[in-house]
Structure formats: structure tokens, C-alpha cells
Amino acid sequence: MLGIHELWLFVLSGVALNITPGPDTVYVIGRSMQLGWRGGAAAAFGISCGCLFHVTGAAIGLSALLMASSTAFSVIKLVGAAYLVLTGLQMLWSRPVLTGSLTREDGRTPLRRVFLQGVFTNALNPKVALFFLAFLPQFVAADAPHKPLAFLALGLIFICTGTLWSLFLAAFAAKAALRLRRSDGIIGWINRALGGLFVYLGFRVAMLQAR
């Protein structure tokens, strides 16, 4: 009805892409080791929400705008790069937080921050937008009457499989690191590793080319 073809191939391709190790995988595993399954789940759902932003953008044409306008691409690129670098530096300078002391005096927990970091890391990365713009149209007929709905449906399928995989990784990593998470030294190294990853991604995003 929506003009989607070879859905089975799309699902298989999406699963293969989801399970391929990348920055999102490292982030989910790192947060799971640091904060337990809840931290990993917060990271996973944050990443998924960031991807949803790009899927919606692809459906309504914002990704095409990023591809066509070098100015729009540069603005989003620089904003995303700055956010990633600043977040990474904050993590590099932060003190270790033990699992037993997650709740702050004001009642909030770092889980909200973990979720938002996952959201903004993806939402401010134009490379993710261009990925969806290039990947989704491969499975939608050129004469499809409802292309936006087709893009949205495919994107939601991709996000769902990716979220399930990330939750599995979070559970596995949290269980494997149950004892390690009680060590200040291990938590500190995880913070440094994640902080270094964010700084690296920030510079990578800053170097991206629209074409």
C-alpha cells in the first residue's frame, strides 16, 4: 500500500547494520558498565529518539534540505560537533559516580542526562540524517503515492530492531560488569573512555563533508 518493496531485505539489512559495532554500541555498553542496566537502557532509548528525529526529517524532507544546502549542513554539523566535544570534556573531567550514589540531592539522577546525551548525539549528527536519506529510499518505489509514510514506517522498523539490540547489549554488559562497577578506578576509566569517544566523534562530525 505504501510502496515499500523487499521488506524482508530491508529488515535483514537493518539488523546487520544495527549489530555492527559503532559509536552507539560503545556508548550503550559503556553506560551499562558504569550505571547498570538502567543506564544502558536510558542510553539506548536516547539514541533511538535521536534516530526518530532523523527518520521524521527524512519523511518531511529536512534531510534532503541538508543534502542540498551546504549552509544548513555546516550549521548543524558545527552545532553537533561542539556539543559532542563539550560533553566529552565534561565526562573526562567528571568524578566517578558509584552505582549506589546515583541520586542527587535535588532528587534527579544521571539517567536523564544519559538519555539526553543519546538523543542529542544522534539528533545533532548530520551523518545520521544523510544515512537515512540514502538508505530508506532504496526500499520505496519511485511512484509510491505516500512516500513520507513509507519512509516513516521503514524508519520505525529500523529503530525498533536497533532498540531491541541495544537493550540486549545493555543487559549483557551490565551483568558482566556487575562487580567492576563498584570500583572507583573502573568507573573513572569508563568515564575517560566515553569522554574520549565523544571528543573524537565531535572532531569527526566537524570534518564531515556534505557530498
Side-chain angles (χ1 to χ4, degrees), residues 43-59:
F45 285 118
I47 290 170
S48 297
C49 287
C51 289
L52 182 60
F53 173 85
H54 290 294
V55 169
T56 304

Side-chain angles (χ1 to χ4, degrees), residues 11-24:
V11 173
L12 289 179
S13 301
V15 170
L17 290 171
N18 285 322
I19 66 178
T20 300
D24 291 346

